[in-house]
Amino acid sequence: PDGVECIKDYAFCDCSGLTSITIPSSVTSIGVSAFEGCRSLTSVSIPSSVTSIGASSFNGCLSLTSVSIPSSVTSIGFSAFYGCLSLTSVDISNGVECIKDSAFYGCSSLTSVSIPSSVTSIGASAFQGCNLLTSVDIPDGVECIEAGTFVMCLSLTSVDIPNGVTSIEKNAFCGCRSLTSVSIPSSVTSIGASAFYDCNLLTSVNIPDGVTSIDNEVFAGCSGLPSITIPSSVTSIGRDAFRSCTGLASIAVLAANPPELGEDAFYGETSTTPVYVPNADTYKNKNWGGFENIKGPAAYKSVALSEITVAKQSATSAYLNGLVEANEKAIEATDDLEAICNYKDEAISKIQFAKQAYQAMTSEALGSLGTEQNGPAVKVTKNGKTVILYHPEKVEFIKISTNE
């Protein structure tokens, strides 16, 4: 009735014949297990007066099909909608700050969920076993992907992890067998054990420069990965980290000192898989990973360059197609090269060059190009002049030549 301010703990627990309920606008809180086990409950309207939804409040409401969380709620409790097998959609309003552990665990019919920008915390196993969930937007304010958050989300195809996330905990995406790509931002410094275990359709993943250790079984069973680049910051690779990554056609390791390897770190890969490293002899002397086909930097540069992008800053100039020797990718630059052109590989996160490059082109060649170390990364030809963006390891500068 109107006037009730709190639905107390276990108030309607195991009322298996209850099919619907109207919560009056006077209610401000829904207690622990308030509606747990209400197997026939198909709908519930949560008013904007409610500020908290307690732990297991709707746990096991097997017939509940949809729910809308008002903006007045700041926290969705532990296991709040655990095992709601018929739940297909969840609308979480802006204002909710925390989705606690196992909040939607086992909601196997859930196909979509709207997580607002106000959310800063998503708990462990929050969406574990949501088999039909195909995509999810993680808000910018989230700093950690907790343990098991998306375990066995079998239909999840892609994940864009926002910049600001610093940690991906163990088992975070374990068993996401439809996941084909994941973008890990440079802010991430830690990736937990088995984080992407058995993501067998994963074909693209980047490991950020700040990661120092690749934990046990992180990418084990990712048999669809065609290549992997391990940044220079990594000093150790754990047990079974890349076990059964049978699709690997190349491995690039950017550390000058070979990372320590745990047992069977690359178990299942062939010994002839090419491994590109800064110094082949250093790795060969350690019989690194048992690989027989370890190559030095001359070959490595053509593999490590993974992405070239251009920010088109000039609206007035016509664009031209440039020639990129590494990976045969085309870039665009404005006629006067005043556009800020960015490229990145796994060793160096970003190099920018602007109008000073164009200005320098009018002068004489600036000495030796120095390409004998690693070769030019990018070559752009215009009007008989060549701009070479050159980057031996951890060195960022531009040299200009007026000669072809």
Side-chain angles (χ1 to χ4, degrees):
D2 291 339
V4 172
E5 296 182 357
C6 175
I7 299 176
K8 292 189 175 183
D9 298 350
Y10 305 100
F12 298 94
C13 184
D14 290 330
C15 290
S16 57
L18 186 67
T19 59
S20 65
I21 188 166
T22 301
I23 301 173
S25 59
S26 56
V27 171
T28 60
S29 66
I30 300 173
V32 172
S33 299
F35 297 95
E36 182 175 355
C38 293
R39 296 170 175 264
S40 301
L41 186 65
T42 58
S43 65
V44 59
S45 177
I46 302 173
S48 59
S49 56
V50 172
T51 59
S52 66
I53 298 174
S56 296
S57 49
F58 295 94
N59 188 331
C61 292
L62 303 182
S63 301
L64 191 64
T65 58
S66 64
V67 66
S68 179
I69 311 294
S71 60
S72 55
V73 173
T74 58
S75 177
I76 301 173
F78 294 98
S79 302
F81 296 92
Y82 186 110
C84 292
L85 302 182
S86 300
L87 193 64
T88 59
S89 66
V90 176
D91 184 13
I92 304 172
S93 298
N94 202 40
V96 175
E97 298 175 359
C98 178
I99 300 171
K100 292 193 173 180
D101 296 358
S102 303
F104 297 96
Y105 185 113
C107 293
S108 55
S109 298
L110 188 64
T111 58
S112 66
V113 59
S114 173
I115 304 176
S117 59
S118 57
V119 171
T120 58
S121 175
I122 301 174
S125 300
F127 295 96
Q128 181 170 342
C130 293
N131 298 339
L132 299 183
L133 191 64
T134 58
S135 65
V136 63
D137 291 325
I138 301 171
D140 290 341
V142 173
E143 296 183 356
C144 177
I145 310 296
E146 298 286 354
T149 301
F150 299 100
V151 167
M152 298 300 290
C153 288
L154 299 179
S155 301
L156 194 64
T157 58
S158 66
V159 175
D160 188 6
I161 300 172
N163 198 33
V165 170
T166 59
S167 176
I168 300 172
E169 297 297 314
K170 65 179 182 180
N171 301 315
F173 297 95
C174 177
C176 293
R177 294 176 182 169
S178 297
L179 190 64
T180 58
S181 67
V182 59
S183 174
I184 303 175
S186 58
S187 56
V188 170
T189 58
S190 174
I191 303 175
S194 304
F196 296 95
Y197 183 95
D198 203 26
C199 294
N200 60 304
L201 294 185
L202 190 64
T203 58
S204 174
V205 67
N206 62 295
I207 302 172
D209 286 343
V211 173
T212 59
S213 176
I214 297 175
D215 214 333
N216 298 339
E217 299 183 330
V218 171
F219 297 104
C222 294
S223 55
L225 275 180
S227 64
I228 193 73
T229 299
I230 299 169
S232 57
S233 56
V234 171
T235 59
S236 65
I237 299 173
R239 172 180 50 80
D240 295 319
F242 296 96
R243 182 186 180 97
S244 299
C245 292
T246 53
L248 280 179
S250 68
I251 300 167
V253 188
L254 307 186
N257 295 318
E260 294 296 323
L261 292 180
E263 185 179 1
D264 294 331
F266 289 94
Y267 184 86
E269 287 75 67
T270 63
S271 61
T272 56
T273 299
V275 178
Y276 300 96
V277 299
N279 189 313
D281 288 341
T282 303
Y283 280 72
K284 287 177 180 178
N285 289 340
K286 286 198 171 185
N287 191 30
W288 196 81
F291 289 105
E292 300 171 359
N293 192 12
I294 295 177
K295 299 176 179 291
Y300 145 76
K301 279 302 173 189
S302 66
V303 172
L305 189 60
S306 63
E307 183 176 319
I308 298 176
T309 60
V310 176
K312 298 176 181 176
Q313 300 293 314
S314 173
T316 58
S317 299
Y319 290 89
L320 61 95
N321 287 326
L323 170 66
V324 180
E325 292 183 334
N327 286 350
E328 300 180 349
K329 291 187 178 180
I331 65 170
E332 291 177 332
T334 54
D335 244 359
D336 57 3
L337 293 182
E338 288 185 2
I340 297 176
C341 297
N342 302 328
Y343 92 94
K344 70 175 184 177
D345 66 288
E346 302 303 330
I348 303 172
S349 61
K350 184 184 289 185
I351 295 178
Q352 298 182 333
F353 69 99
K355 61 183 179 183
Q356 62 267 32
Y358 175 71
Q359 293 167 350
M361 284 176 63
T362 62
S363 66
E364 295 296 318
L366 301 178
S368 171
L369 290 176
T371 57
E372 69 280 355
Q373 293 185 47
N374 290 329
V378 178
K379 178 180 177 182
V380 179
T381 302
K382 182 180 186 298
N383 297 334
K385 300 182 179 70
T386 300
V387 179
I388 291 183
L389 186 62
Y390 164 63
H391 64 288
E393 185 157 332
K394 297 303 180 186
V395 177
E396 303 177 4
F397 63 91
I398 297 169
K399 288 195 174 186
I400 308 300
S401 172
T402 57
N403 302 318
E404 277 297 285

